[in-house]
Amino acid sequence: MARKKLPPVNPEEARIIGSLLRSLRRAAGFRAVQDAVADPSCPAARQTIYAYERGGLVPSLAQYLELVEFYALRAELGPDAKPVEDLRSQAVVAVVTALTMPCYHMTEAMRLMARLQPPPAPKRRQQAAG
């Protein structure tokens, strides 16, 4: 089966995804991108993160989740980081928000799964006890 070229991502969606990543980076206490990439466990290069945050590039869902996990769980937090509970809550919001965006096709996947479900079995009538 030939691969179909994916439609371009709506610029507004790209901007929102970038904003979510930028807010999460700052919540982890990294004022600048270079502070985040100084951590050896950072999963992306400086220029890539800049491109994501500006909305010029949209990460794949796997890349997005990897960055969220880095900021919320693996990074050595910066001095201005939010409390860990707040940071993790913000990360959950970032994941949920991204999953509902059309560019990641999750709502389409959910609709397909609903269509794939078998219809409910008819109710069986109970026989009277005799």
Side-chain angles (χ1 to χ4, degrees), residues 24 72 83-95:
L24 202 52
V84 172
E85 298 80 20
D86 293 348
L87 177 59
R88 288 183 178 196
S89 295
Q90 187 171 341
V92 168
V93 170
V95 171

Side-chain angles (χ1 to χ4, degrees), residues 93-116:
V93 170
V95 171
V96 170
T97 302
L99 290 177
T100 61
M101 298 187 75
C103 64
Y104 288 128
H105 308 285
M106 192 57 120
T107 51
E108 291 172 32
M110 298 300 279
R111 283 190 211 112
L112 174 59
M113 287 188 293
R115 290 194 315 267
L116 293 169

Side-chain angles (χ1 to χ4, degrees), residues 14-92:
R15 188 193 65 73
I16 292 169
I17 289 167
S19 175
L20 290 167
L21 288 172
R22 182 175 38 260
S23 295
L24 202 52
R25 173 179 51 80
R26 289 178 178 161
F30 300 116
R31 288 184 174 194
V33 172
Q34 59 263 23
D35 298 334
V37 298
D39 186 316
S41 65
C42 183
R46 182 175 54 92
Q47 288 303 104
T48 304
I49 294 174
Y50 278 131
Y52 291 161
E53 289 186 7
R54 282 193 323 267
L57 243 176
V58 175
S60 70
L61 182 56
Q63 292 164 327
Y64 181 84
L65 295 175
E66 197 171 19
L67 275 168
V68 170
E69 181 181 6
F70 166 72
Y71 291 135
L73 296 174
R74 293 194 330 250
E76 186 69 39
L77 301 180
D80 298 326
K82 286 185 172 184
V84 172
E85 298 80 20
D86 293 348
L87 177 59
R88 288 183 178 196
S89 295
Q90 187 171 341
V92 168

